[in-house]
Amino acid sequence: MRLFLALDLDAPARACAVEVQGRARRAPALRNVTVRWVRPESLHLTLAFLGEVDADRVAPIARAAAEPWRHAPFRVELASAEAAPRSGAPRTLWLSVSAGRAALAHLHADACARMGPLLSAPVDPRPPGHVTLGRLRRAPRSSGRPVRDAVAGLAVPAFGWRVDSVVLYQSRLASGGASYRPLARAPLGCVILDAVP
């Protein structure tokens, strides 16, 4: 079972991301490229990809994910569109995080510490930094520069949302794209203060 921890966008942020996604769909440089667009209801910011997990590990992981997170809610902002990687044929179109990176890095480190002992492989140590809009399939190498320029040229007004929970999702891959099923959700904000002597 493929699992990941994510931060859901709120409704206004989701609407902004969908609007940018729509403009990307209409970009002339993407007309000859096959893109599997992320469905609006599936847009999210991946906090930590946990990978393939054996069935007997799912319940302990879900219990750990459902424990409140000792982080204050914070704001994440997105402000630019990019095609990645930066060289060769692009494979992913995303919106980059422009504000909230430090808080994301702290929450990601906590996720790695919380989930690491429950997994057979380590969690990717790179902190999160984007919301995926679409994945390119069969993009010719020659399309790299035009696609990157077109995506970078999309005017993205800065927008964001207040992160106040973490969700554990199961990812199901299918020919029509991935679908996500929530398995656990826990709030941020359960900050335990050290006792004063």
Side-chain angles (χ1 to χ4, degrees):
M1 188 179 292
R2 288 165 59 91
L3 302 179
F4 66 94
L5 293 170
L7 310 177
D8 285 341
L9 282 67
D10 67 9
R14 189 177 304 277
C16 289
V18 168
E19 194 275 328
V20 174
Q21 191 181 54
R23 284 191 282 121
R25 285 176 185 262
R26 297 187 295 274
L30 291 168
R31 286 191 185 138
N32 297 321
V33 178
T34 303
V35 182
R36 180 176 288 161
W37 298 100
V38 177
R39 292 189 289 268
E41 66 274 13
S42 296
L43 290 166
H44 65 274
L45 194 157
T46 299
L47 177 64
F49 181 68
L50 307 182
E52 288 289 341
V53 174
D54 293 337
D56 63 336
R57 293 177 186 251
V58 174
I61 289 170
R63 283 194 296 271
E67 289 291 322
W69 295 77
R70 295 175 55 178
H71 294 266
F74 61 95
R75 185 167 175 81
V76 165
E77 290 190 358
L78 308 170
S80 64
E82 297 178 16
R86 295 185 178 181
S87 61
R91 293 190 301 272
T92 309
L93 307 179
W94 66 43
L95 292 167
S96 295
V97 170
S98 61
R101 284 187 178 273
L104 277 173
H106 288 300
L107 187 57
H108 174 263
D110 191 7
C112 291
R114 186 182 290 206
M115 295 296 161
L118 303 173
L119 300 170
S120 56
V123 179
D124 186 340
R126 294 173 296 180
H130 64 268
V131 171
T132 299
L133 298 177
R135 292 176 177 83
L136 285 70
R137 298 169 54 114
R138 299 185 297 278
R141 189 176 180 84
S142 61
S143 70
R145 180 69 181 265
V147 166
R148 272 187 279 278
D149 289 349
V151 173
L154 295 171
V156 180
F159 67 93
W161 73 100
R162 183 178 184 266
V163 174
D164 58 12
S165 64
V166 174
V167 186
L168 174 68
Y169 280 105
Q170 175 189 2
S171 174
R172 295 175 174 172
L173 302 179
S175 58
S179 63
Y180 308 126
R181 181 170 72 102
L183 301 180
R185 180 183 303 271
L188 299 187
C190 183
V191 180
I192 300 171
L193 301 176
D194 292 332
V196 178

Coordinates of all heavy atoms in Angstrom, one line a residue, residues 8 12 14-15 27 49 51 75 78 90 93 108 111 118-119 123 125 136 147 150 155 164-165 174 177:
D8 N -3.5 19.5 3.2 CA -4.6 19.8 2.2 C -4.7 21.3 2.0 O -4.5 22.1 3.0 CB -5.9 19.3 2.7 CG -6.1 17.8 2.6 OD1 -5.4 17.2 1.8 OD2 -7.0 17.3 3.3
P12 N -10.2 28.3 -1.0 CA -9.8 29.4 -1.9 C -8.4 29.1 -2.5 O -8.2 29.4 -3.7 CB -9.7 30.6 -0.9 CG -10.6 30.2 0.2 CD -10.5 28.7 0.3
R14 N -7.2 26.1 -3.3 CA -7.5 25.1 -4.3 C -8.0 25.8 -5.6 O -7.6 25.5 -6.7 CB -8.5 24.1 -3.8 CG -8.6 22.9 -4.7 CD -9.6 21.9 -4.0 NE -9.1 21.5 -2.7 CZ -8.2 20.5 -2.4 NH1 -7.7 19.9 -3.5 NH2 -7.8 20.3 -1.2
A15 N -8.9 26.7 -5.4 CA -9.5 27.4 -6.6 C -8.4 28.2 -7.3 O -8.4 28.2 -8.5 CB -10.6 28.4 -6.1
A27 N -1.7 26.6 -22.5 CA -0.4 27.2 -23.1 C 0.0 26.4 -24.4 O -0.1 25.2 -24.4 CB 0.7 27.0 -22.0
F49 N 6.6 11.4 1.7 CA 6.2 10.2 1.0 C 6.7 9.0 1.8 O 7.9 8.9 2.0 CB 6.7 10.2 -0.4 CG 6.3 9.0 -1.2 CD1 4.9 8.8 -1.6 CD2 7.2 8.1 -1.6 CE1 4.5 7.7 -2.3 CE2 6.8 7.0 -2.4 CZ 5.5 6.8 -2.7
G51 N 6.0 5.7 0.9 CA 6.3 4.6 0.0 C 5.4 3.4 0.2 O 4.3 3.5 0.8
R75 N 1.1 29.5 8.0 CA 0.7 29.8 6.6 C 1.7 29.4 5.6 O 2.9 29.6 5.8 CB 0.4 31.3 6.5 CG -0.2 31.7 5.2 CD -0.7 33.1 5.2 NE -1.2 33.5 3.9 CZ -2.4 33.2 3.3 NH1 -3.2 32.5 4.1 NH2 -2.7 33.6 2.1
L78 N 2.2 30.1 -2.1 CA 2.7 29.6 -3.4 C 2.8 30.9 -4.3 O 1.9 31.7 -4.3 CB 1.8 28.6 -4.0 CG 1.4 27.4 -3.1 CD1 0.3 26.5 -3.7 CD2 2.7 26.5 -2.8
P90 N 11.1 17.8 -19.3 CA 10.4 18.1 -18.1 C 9.4 17.0 -17.8 O 8.8 16.3 -18.7 CB 9.6 19.4 -18.3 CG 9.5 19.5 -19.8 CD 10.7 18.8 -20.4
L93 N 4.9 19.5 -13.5 CA 4.5 20.9 -13.4 C 4.0 21.2 -12.0 O 3.2 20.4 -11.5 CB 3.4 21.2 -14.4 CG 3.7 20.8 -15.9 CD1 2.5 21.2 -16.8 CD2 5.0 21.5 -16.4
H108 N 8.2 18.6 8.6 CA 8.7 17.5 7.9 C 9.7 16.7 8.7 O 9.7 15.4 8.7 CB 9.4 17.9 6.6 CG 10.1 16.9 5.8 ND1 11.4 16.6 5.9 CD2 9.6 15.9 5.0 CE1 11.8 15.6 5.2 NE2 10.7 15.2 4.6
A111 N 7.8 14.6 11.0 CA 7.2 13.5 10.3 C 8.2 12.4 10.1 O 7.9 11.2 10.3 CB 6.6 14.0 9.0
L118 N 8.7 3.2 12.0 CA 7.6 2.3 11.6 C 7.8 1.8 10.2 O 7.0 1.0 9.7 CB 6.3 3.1 11.7 CG 5.9 3.6 13.1 CD1 4.7 4.4 13.1 CD2 5.7 2.4 14.1
L119 N 8.8 2.3 9.5 CA 9.0 2.0 8.1 C 10.2 1.2 7.9 O 11.2 1.2 8.6 CB 9.1 3.3 7.2 CG 7.9 4.3 7.3 CD1 8.3 5.6 6.7 CD2 6.7 3.7 6.6
V123 N 12.4 7.8 5.3 CA 11.6 8.9 4.6 C 12.6 9.8 3.9 O 13.7 10.1 4.4 CB 10.8 9.7 5.7 CG1 10.0 10.7 5.0 CG2 9.9 8.7 6.5
P125 N 14.6 12.7 3.0 CA 15.0 13.8 3.9 C 14.7 15.2 3.4 O 14.8 16.1 4.1 CB 16.5 13.5 4.2 CG 16.9 12.9 2.9 CD 15.8 12.0 2.5
L136 N 4.0 15.1 -16.8 CA 4.1 15.0 -18.3 C 4.5 13.6 -18.6 O 5.3 12.9 -18.0 CB 5.2 15.9 -18.8 CG 4.8 17.4 -18.9 CD1 4.7 18.0 -17.5 CD2 5.8 18.2 -19.7
V147 N 8.5 24.3 -22.8 CA 7.6 24.0 -21.7 C 8.0 24.8 -20.5 O 7.2 25.4 -19.8 CB 7.5 22.5 -21.5 CG1 6.8 22.2 -20.1 CG2 6.8 21.8 -22.6
A150 N 7.1 28.4 -20.9 CA 5.7 28.7 -20.9 C 5.2 28.6 -19.5 O 4.4 29.4 -19.0 CB 5.0 27.7 -21.8
A155 N 1.5 34.0 -15.0 CA 1.5 35.0 -13.9 C 0.8 34.3 -12.8 O -0.4 33.9 -12.9 CB 0.8 36.2 -14.4
D164 N -3.4 23.6 9.2 CA -3.8 23.4 10.6 C -4.0 21.9 10.9 O -4.4 21.5 11.9 CB -5.1 24.1 11.0 CG -6.2 23.8 10.0 OD1 -6.2 22.8 9.2 OD2 -7.2 24.5 10.1
S165 N -3.6 21.0 9.9 CA -3.7 19.6 10.1 C -2.8 18.8 9.1 O -2.4 19.4 8.1 CB -5.2 19.1 9.9 OG -5.6 19.3 8.6
A174 N -3.8 4.2 -11.1 CA -4.6 3.7 -12.1 C -4.3 4.3 -13.4 O -3.6 5.3 -13.4 CB -6.1 3.8 -11.7
G177 N -4.9 8.0 -13.6 CA -4.2 8.8 -12.6 C -4.4 8.3 -11.2 O -5.2 7.4 -11.0

